[in-house]
Coordinates of all heavy atoms in Angstrom, one line a residue:
M1 N -42.2 -54.3 29.7 CA -41.5 -54.4 28.5 C -42.6 -54.4 27.3 O -42.3 -53.8 26.3 CB -40.7 -55.7 28.4 CG -40.0 -56.0 27.1 SD -38.4 -55.2 27.1 CE -37.8 -55.8 25.6
S2 N -43.7 -55.1 27.5 CA -44.7 -55.1 26.4 C -45.3 -53.7 26.2 O -45.7 -53.4 25.1 CB -45.8 -56.1 26.8 OG -46.5 -55.7 27.9
K3 N -45.4 -52.9 27.3 CA -45.9 -51.5 27.1 C -45.0 -50.7 26.2 O -45.4 -50.0 25.3 CB -46.1 -50.9 28.5 CG -46.8 -49.5 28.3 CD -47.0 -48.9 29.7 CE -47.7 -47.5 29.5 NZ -47.9 -46.8 30.7
R4 N -43.7 -50.8 26.5 CA -42.7 -50.1 25.6 C -42.8 -50.5 24.2 O -42.7 -49.7 23.3 CB -41.3 -50.3 26.2 CG -40.9 -49.4 27.2 CD -39.4 -49.6 27.5 NE -38.9 -48.7 28.5 CZ -37.8 -48.8 29.0 NH1 -36.9 -49.6 28.6 NH2 -37.4 -48.0 30.0
R5 N -42.9 -51.8 24.0 CA -42.9 -52.3 22.6 C -44.2 -51.9 22.0 O -44.2 -51.5 20.8 CB -42.9 -53.9 22.7 CG -42.9 -54.5 21.3 CD -42.8 -56.0 21.4 NE -41.9 -56.3 20.3 CZ -41.2 -57.4 20.2 NH1 -41.4 -58.3 21.1 NH2 -40.4 -57.7 19.2
N6 N -45.3 -51.8 22.7 CA -46.6 -51.4 22.1 C -46.5 -49.9 21.7 O -46.9 -49.5 20.7 CB -47.7 -51.6 23.1 CG -49.1 -51.4 22.5 OD1 -49.2 -51.5 21.3 ND2 -50.1 -51.2 23.3
E7 N -45.9 -49.1 22.6 CA -45.7 -47.7 22.2 C -44.8 -47.5 21.0 O -45.1 -46.6 20.2 CB -45.1 -46.9 23.4 CG -46.0 -46.7 24.6 CD -45.3 -46.1 25.8 OE1 -44.2 -45.7 25.6 OE2 -46.0 -46.1 26.9
F8 N -43.8 -48.3 20.9 CA -42.9 -48.3 19.8 C -43.6 -48.6 18.5 O -43.4 -48.0 17.5 CB -41.7 -49.2 20.0 CG -40.7 -49.2 18.9 CD1 -39.9 -48.2 18.6 CD2 -40.7 -50.3 18.0 CE1 -39.0 -48.2 17.6 CE2 -39.8 -50.4 17.0 CZ -39.0 -49.3 16.8
E9 N -44.4 -49.7 18.6 CA -45.1 -50.1 17.4 C -46.1 -49.1 17.0 O -46.3 -48.9 15.8 CB -45.8 -51.5 17.7 CG -44.9 -52.6 17.8 CD -45.5 -53.9 18.2 OE1 -46.7 -53.9 18.5 OE2 -44.9 -54.9 18.2
Q10 N -46.8 -48.4 17.9 CA -47.7 -47.3 17.6 C -47.0 -46.2 16.9 O -47.5 -45.6 15.9 CB -48.4 -46.9 18.8 CG -49.5 -47.8 19.3 CD -50.1 -47.3 20.6 OE1 -49.7 -46.3 21.2 NE2 -51.2 -48.0 21.1
A11 N -45.8 -45.8 17.5 CA -45.1 -44.7 16.9 C -44.6 -45.0 15.5 O -44.6 -44.2 14.6 CB -43.9 -44.3 17.8
A12 N -44.2 -46.3 15.3 CA -43.7 -46.7 14.0 C -44.9 -46.8 13.0 O -44.7 -46.6 11.8 CB -43.1 -48.1 14.1
A13 N -46.1 -47.1 13.4 CA -47.2 -47.2 12.6 C -47.8 -45.9 12.1 O -48.5 -45.8 11.1 CB -48.3 -48.0 13.2
Q14 N -47.5 -44.8 12.9 CA -48.0 -43.5 12.5 C -47.3 -43.0 11.3 O -46.1 -43.2 11.1 CB -47.7 -42.5 13.6 CG -48.5 -42.6 14.9 CD -48.2 -41.6 15.9 OE1 -47.2 -40.9 15.8 NE2 -49.0 -41.6 17.0
Q15 N -48.1 -42.5 10.4 CA -47.6 -42.0 9.1 C -47.1 -40.6 9.3 O -47.8 -39.7 9.8 CB -48.7 -42.0 8.0 CG -48.2 -41.7 6.7 CD -49.3 -41.9 5.6 OE1 -50.5 -41.9 6.0 NE2 -48.9 -41.9 4.4
Q16 N -45.8 -40.4 9.0 CA -45.2 -39.1 9.1 C -45.4 -38.3 7.8 O -45.2 -38.8 6.7 CB -43.7 -39.3 9.3 CG -43.4 -39.9 10.7 CD -41.9 -40.0 10.9 OE1 -41.1 -39.8 10.0 NE2 -41.5 -40.3 12.1
V17 N -45.8 -37.1 8.0 CA -46.1 -36.2 6.8 C -44.8 -35.4 6.7 O -44.5 -34.5 7.6 CB -47.3 -35.4 7.0 CG1 -47.5 -34.5 5.8 CG2 -48.5 -36.3 7.2
T18 N -44.1 -35.6 5.6 CA -42.9 -34.7 5.4 C -43.0 -34.1 4.0 O -43.7 -34.6 3.1 CB -41.6 -35.6 5.4 OG1 -41.7 -36.6 4.4 CG2 -41.4 -36.2 6.8
G19 N -42.4 -33.0 3.8 CA -42.4 -32.3 2.5 C -41.3 -32.8 1.6 O -41.0 -32.2 0.6
G20 N -40.6 -33.8 2.0 CA -39.5 -34.3 1.1 C -38.1 -34.0 1.7 O -38.0 -33.5 2.9
F21 N -37.1 -34.2 0.9 CA -35.8 -34.0 1.3 C -35.4 -32.6 1.7 O -34.8 -32.3 2.7 CB -34.8 -34.5 0.2 CG -33.4 -34.3 0.6 CD1 -32.8 -35.1 1.5 CD2 -32.6 -33.3 0.0 CE1 -31.4 -34.9 1.9 CE2 -31.3 -33.1 0.3 CZ -30.7 -33.9 1.2
I22 N -35.9 -31.6 0.9 CA -35.6 -30.2 1.1 C -36.2 -29.7 2.4 O -35.5 -29.0 3.2 CB -36.0 -29.4 -0.1 CG1 -35.4 -29.8 -1.4 CG2 -35.8 -27.9 0.1 CD1 -33.9 -29.7 -1.4
A23 N -37.4 -30.1 2.6 CA -38.1 -29.7 3.9 C -37.4 -30.3 5.1 O -37.3 -29.6 6.1 CB -39.6 -30.1 3.8
E24 N -37.0 -31.5 5.0 CA -36.3 -32.2 6.1 C -34.9 -31.6 6.3 O -34.5 -31.3 7.5 CB -36.1 -33.7 5.8 CG -35.8 -34.5 7.0 CD -35.9 -36.0 6.7 OE1 -36.8 -36.4 6.0 OE2 -35.1 -36.7 7.3
L25 N -34.2 -31.2 5.3 CA -33.0 -30.5 5.4 C -33.1 -29.2 6.0 O -32.4 -28.8 6.9 CB -32.3 -30.4 4.0 CG -30.9 -29.8 4.0 CD1 -29.9 -30.7 4.8 CD2 -30.4 -29.6 2.6
W26 N -34.1 -28.4 5.6 CA -34.4 -27.1 6.1 C -34.7 -27.2 7.6 O -34.3 -26.4 8.4 CB -35.5 -26.4 5.4 CG -35.8 -25.1 5.9 CD1 -36.9 -24.7 6.6 CD2 -35.0 -23.9 5.8 NE1 -36.8 -23.4 7.0 CE2 -35.7 -22.9 6.4 CE3 -33.8 -23.6 5.2 CZ2 -35.1 -21.6 6.5 CZ3 -33.3 -22.4 5.2 CH2 -33.9 -21.3 5.9
G27 N -35.5 -28.2 8.0 CA -35.9 -28.4 9.4 C -34.7 -28.8 10.2 O -34.5 -28.3 11.4
F28 N -33.7 -29.6 9.7 CA -32.5 -29.9 10.4 C -31.7 -28.6 10.6 O -31.2 -28.4 11.7 CB -31.7 -30.9 9.6 CG -30.3 -31.1 10.1 CD1 -30.1 -31.9 11.2 CD2 -29.2 -30.5 9.4 CE1 -28.8 -32.1 11.7 CE2 -27.9 -30.7 9.9 CZ -27.7 -31.5 11.0
L29 N -31.5 -27.8 9.6 CA -30.7 -26.6 9.7 C -31.3 -25.7 10.7 O -30.6 -25.1 11.5 CB -30.6 -25.9 8.3 CG -29.8 -26.6 7.3 CD1 -29.9 -25.8 5.9 CD2 -28.3 -26.7 7.7
K30 N -32.6 -25.6 10.7 CA -33.3 -24.7 11.6 C -33.3 -25.2 13.1 O -33.0 -24.4 14.0 CB -34.8 -24.5 11.2 CG -35.5 -23.4 11.7 CD -36.8 -23.3 11.0 CE -38.0 -22.9 11.9 NZ -39.2 -22.8 11.2
E31 N -33.5 -26.5 13.2 CA -33.5 -27.1 14.6 C -32.2 -27.1 15.2 O -32.0 -26.7 16.4 CB -34.0 -28.5 14.5 CG -34.1 -29.2 15.8 CD -35.4 -29.2 16.4 OE1 -36.4 -28.7 15.8 OE2 -35.5 -29.5 17.6
N32 N -31.1 -27.4 14.5 CA -29.8 -27.5 15.1 C -28.9 -26.3 14.9 O -27.7 -26.4 15.3 CB -29.1 -28.8 14.5 CG -29.8 -30.0 14.9 OD1 -30.2 -30.2 16.0 ND2 -30.1 -30.9 13.9
R33 N -29.4 -25.3 14.3 CA -28.7 -24.0 14.1 C -27.4 -24.3 13.4 O -26.3 -23.8 13.7 CB -28.3 -23.4 15.5 CG -29.5 -23.2 16.4 CD -30.1 -21.9 16.2 NE -31.2 -21.7 17.2 CZ -32.2 -21.0 16.9 NH1 -32.4 -20.4 15.8 NH2 -33.2 -20.8 17.9
K34 N -27.5 -25.0 12.3 CA -26.3 -25.3 11.5 C -26.3 -24.4 10.2 O -26.2 -24.9 9.1 CB -26.3 -26.8 11.0 CG -26.3 -27.8 12.1 CD -25.0 -27.9 12.8 CE -25.0 -29.0 13.9 NZ -23.9 -29.0 14.6
W35 N -26.4 -23.1 10.4 CA -26.5 -22.2 9.3 C -25.3 -22.1 8.5 O -25.3 -21.7 7.3 CB -26.9 -20.8 9.8 CG -28.3 -20.8 10.5 CD1 -28.5 -20.5 11.8 CD2 -29.5 -21.1 9.9 NE1 -29.9 -20.6 12.0 CE2 -30.5 -21.0 10.9 CE3 -29.9 -21.4 8.6 CZ2 -31.9 -21.2 10.6 CZ3 -31.3 -21.7 8.3 CH2 -32.2 -21.5 9.3
W36 N -24.1 -22.5 9.0 CA -22.9 -22.5 8.3 C -22.9 -23.5 7.1 O -22.1 -23.4 6.2 CB -21.7 -22.7 9.2 CG -21.8 -24.0 10.0 CD1 -22.4 -24.2 11.2 CD2 -21.3 -25.2 9.6 NE1 -22.3 -25.5 11.6 CE2 -21.6 -26.2 10.6 CE3 -20.6 -25.7 8.4 CZ2 -21.2 -27.5 10.5 CZ3 -20.2 -27.0 8.4 CH2 -20.5 -27.9 9.4
L37 N -23.8 -24.5 7.2 CA -23.9 -25.5 6.1 C -24.6 -24.9 4.9 O -24.4 -25.4 3.8 CB -24.7 -26.7 6.6 CG -23.9 -27.7 7.5 CD1 -24.9 -28.7 8.0 CD2 -22.8 -28.3 6.8
L38 N -25.4 -23.9 5.0 CA -26.1 -23.3 3.9 C -25.3 -22.9 2.7 O -25.6 -23.2 1.6 CB -27.1 -22.2 4.4 CG -28.3 -21.9 3.6 CD1 -29.1 -23.1 3.4 CD2 -29.1 -20.8 4.2
P39 N -24.2 -22.1 2.9 CA -23.4 -21.7 1.8 C -22.7 -22.9 1.1 O -22.6 -22.9 -0.1 CB -22.3 -20.8 2.4 CG -22.9 -20.3 3.7 CD -23.8 -21.4 4.2
I40 N -22.4 -23.9 1.9 CA -21.8 -25.1 1.3 C -22.8 -25.8 0.4 O -22.4 -26.2 -0.7 CB -21.2 -26.0 2.4 CG1 -20.1 -25.3 3.2 CG2 -20.7 -27.3 1.8 CD1 -19.7 -26.1 4.4
L41 N -24.0 -25.9 0.9 CA -25.0 -26.6 0.1 C -25.4 -25.8 -1.2 O -25.6 -26.4 -2.2 CB -26.3 -26.8 0.9 CG -26.1 -27.8 2.1 CD1 -27.4 -27.8 3.0 CD2 -25.8 -29.2 1.6
V42 N -25.4 -24.5 -1.1 CA -25.7 -23.7 -2.2 C -24.6 -23.8 -3.3 O -24.9 -24.0 -4.5 CB -25.9 -22.2 -1.8 CG1 -25.9 -21.3 -3.0 CG2 -27.2 -22.0 -1.0
L43 N -23.4 -23.8 -2.8 CA -22.2 -24.0 -3.8 C -22.3 -25.4 -4.4 O -22.1 -25.5 -5.6 CB -20.9 -23.8 -3.0 CG -19.7 -23.9 -3.9 CD1 -19.6 -22.7 -4.8 CD2 -18.4 -23.9 -3.0
L44 N -22.6 -26.4 -3.7 CA -22.7 -27.7 -4.2 C -23.9 -27.8 -5.3 O -23.7 -28.5 -6.3 CB -22.9 -28.8 -3.1 CG -21.7 -29.2 -2.3 CD1 -22.1 -30.1 -1.2 CD2 -20.6 -29.8 -3.2
L45 N -25.0 -27.2 -5.0 CA -26.1 -27.2 -5.9 C -25.7 -26.4 -7.2 O -26.0 -26.9 -8.3 CB -27.3 -26.6 -5.3 CG -28.0 -27.4 -4.3 CD1 -29.1 -26.6 -3.6 CD2 -28.6 -28.6 -5.0
A46 N -25.0 -25.3 -7.1 CA -24.6 -24.5 -8.2 C -23.6 -25.3 -9.1 O -23.7 -25.3 -10.3 CB -23.9 -23.2 -7.8
L47 N -22.7 -26.0 -8.5 CA -21.7 -26.9 -9.2 C -22.4 -28.0 -9.9 O -22.1 -28.3 -11.1 CB -20.6 -27.4 -8.3 CG -19.3 -26.7 -8.5 CD1 -19.1 -25.8 -7.3 CD2 -18.2 -27.8 -8.5
G48 N -23.4 -28.6 -9.2 CA -24.2 -29.7 -9.9 C -25.0 -29.2 -11.0 O -25.1 -29.8 -12.1
L49 N -25.5 -28.0 -10.9 CA -26.3 -27.4 -12.0 C -25.4 -27.1 -13.2 O -25.7 -27.4 -14.4 CB -27.0 -26.1 -11.6 CG -27.8 -25.4 -12.6 CD1 -29.0 -26.3 -13.0 CD2 -28.3 -24.1 -12.1
L50 N -24.2 -26.6 -12.9 CA -23.2 -26.3 -14.0 C -22.8 -27.6 -14.7 O -22.7 -27.6 -15.9 CB -22.0 -25.6 -13.5 CG -22.2 -24.1 -13.4 CD1 -20.9 -23.5 -12.7 CD2 -22.4 -23.4 -14.7
T51 N -22.6 -28.6 -13.9 CA -22.2 -29.9 -14.5 C -23.3 -30.5 -15.4 O -23.0 -31.0 -16.4 CB -21.8 -30.9 -13.4 OG1 -20.8 -30.3 -12.5 CG2 -21.4 -32.2 -13.9
F52 N -24.5 -30.3 -14.9 CA -25.7 -30.8 -15.7 C -25.8 -30.1 -17.0 O -26.0 -30.6 -18.1 CB -26.9 -30.7 -14.9 CG -28.2 -31.0 -15.7 CD1 -28.5 -32.3 -16.0 CD2 -29.0 -30.0 -16.1 CE1 -29.6 -32.6 -16.7 CE2 -30.1 -30.3 -16.8 CZ -30.4 -31.6 -17.1
L53 N -25.7 -28.7 -16.9 CA -25.8 -27.9 -18.1 C -24.7 -28.1 -19.1 O -24.8 -27.8 -20.3 CB -26.0 -26.5 -17.7 CG -27.3 -26.1 -17.0 CD1 -27.3 -24.6 -16.6 CD2 -28.5 -26.4 -17.9
A54 N -23.5 -28.5 -18.6 CA -22.4 -28.7 -19.5 C -22.6 -29.9 -20.4 O -22.0 -29.9 -21.5 CB -21.1 -29.0 -18.6
G55 N -23.5 -30.8 -20.1 CA -23.8 -31.9 -21.0 C -25.0 -31.7 -21.9 O -25.4 -32.5 -22.6
T56 N -25.5 -30.5 -21.9 CA -26.7 -30.2 -22.7 C -26.3 -29.2 -23.8 O -25.1 -28.8 -24.0 CB -27.8 -29.5 -21.9 OG1 -27.4 -28.3 -21.4 CG2 -28.2 -30.4 -20.7
S57 N -27.3 -28.7 -24.5 CA -27.0 -27.8 -25.6 C -26.7 -26.4 -25.1 O -26.3 -25.5 -25.9 CB -28.2 -27.7 -26.6 OG -29.3 -27.3 -25.9
A58 N -26.8 -26.2 -23.8 CA -26.4 -24.9 -23.2 C -24.9 -24.8 -22.9 O -24.5 -23.7 -22.4 CB -27.2 -24.7 -21.9
A59 N -24.2 -25.8 -23.2 CA -22.7 -25.8 -22.9 C -22.0 -24.6 -23.5 O -21.2 -24.0 -22.8 CB -22.1 -27.1 -23.4
P60 N -22.2 -24.2 -24.8 CA -21.5 -23.1 -25.3 C -21.7 -21.8 -24.6 O -20.8 -20.9 -24.5 CB -22.0 -23.0 -26.8 CG -22.5 -24.3 -27.1 CD -23.0 -24.9 -25.8
F61 N -22.9 -21.6 -24.0 CA -23.2 -20.4 -23.2 C -22.5 -20.4 -21.9 O -22.2 -19.4 -21.3 CB -24.7 -20.3 -23.1 CG -25.4 -20.2 -24.4 CD1 -26.3 -21.2 -24.8 CD2 -25.3 -19.1 -25.2 CE1 -26.9 -21.2 -26.0 CE2 -25.9 -19.0 -26.5 CZ -26.7 -20.1 -26.9
I62 N -22.3 -21.6 -21.3 CA -21.7 -21.7 -20.0 C -20.2 -21.4 -20.2 O -19.6 -20.7 -19.3 CB -21.8 -23.1 -19.4 CG1 -23.3 -23.3 -19.1 CG2 -21.0 -23.3 -18.2 CD1 -23.6 -24.7 -18.7
Y63 N -19.6 -21.8 -21.2 CA -18.2 -21.6 -21.4 C -17.9 -20.1 -21.6 O -16.8 -19.6 -21.3 CB -17.6 -22.3 -22.6 CG -17.7 -23.8 -22.4 CD1 -18.3 -24.7 -23.3 CD2 -17.2 -24.4 -21.3 CE1 -18.3 -26.0 -23.2 CE2 -17.2 -25.8 -21.1 CZ -17.8 -26.6 -22.0 OH -17.8 -27.9 -21.8
T64 N -18.8 -19.3 -22.0 CA -18.6 -17.9 -22.1 C -18.6 -17.2 -20.8 O -18.1 -16.1 -20.7 CB -19.6 -17.2 -23.0 OG1 -20.9 -17.4 -22.5 CG2 -19.6 -17.8 -24.4
L65 N -19.1 -17.8 -19.8 CA -19.1 -17.2 -18.4 C -17.7 -17.2 -17.8 O -17.4 -16.4 -17.0 CB -20.0 -18.0 -17.5 CG -21.6 -17.9 -17.8 CD1 -22.3 -18.9 -16.9 CD2 -22.0 -16.5 -17.7
F66 N -16.9 -18.2 -18.3 CA -15.5 -18.3 -17.7 C -14.6 -17.8 -18.7 O -13.5 -17.7 -18.8 CB -15.3 -19.7 -17.3 CG -16.2 -20.2 -16.3 CD1 -17.3 -21.1 -16.6 CD2 -16.2 -19.8 -15.0 CE1 -18.2 -21.5 -15.7 CE2 -17.0 -20.3 -14.0 CZ -18.0 -21.1 -14.4

């Protein structure tokens, strides 16, 4: 039991180098072959960007798109 615990503590103590949320998400999509999620994420990002821009001085330019 102590050997398992020691291995666990060593693994927990190792510093993981990650590139952030986007890199982790890309790794997940690549590893698990969840490519169908990509269009959904792009659409959500586009909607978030439009929502953000609607609250700025760029709002009159966005309304002309629709």
Side-chain angles (χ1 to χ4, degrees):
M1 178 89 175
S2 66
K3 184 178 181 183
R4 275 191 181 173
R5 181 176 225 163
N6 192 18
E7 290 175 8
F8 178 74
E9 289 174 354
Q10 286 177 353
Q14 288 179 350
Q15 189 175 15
Q16 294 181 349
V17 178
T18 60
F21 177 73
I22 301 298
E24 195 168 326
L25 182 63
W26 181 254
F28 169 77
L29 292 173
K30 196 168 143 183
E31 177 95 12
N32 294 313
R33 310 267 186 212
K34 303 287 185 185
W35 297 116
W36 56 271
L37 283 173
L38 202 56
I40 296 170
L41 293 174
V42 168
L43 184 67
L44 284 173
L45 285 173
L47 255 104
L49 182 65
L50 277 175
T51 304
F52 172 74
L53 290 176
T56 65
S57 62
F61 301 111
I62 294 172
Y63 294 129
T64 60
L65 294 175
F66 302 103

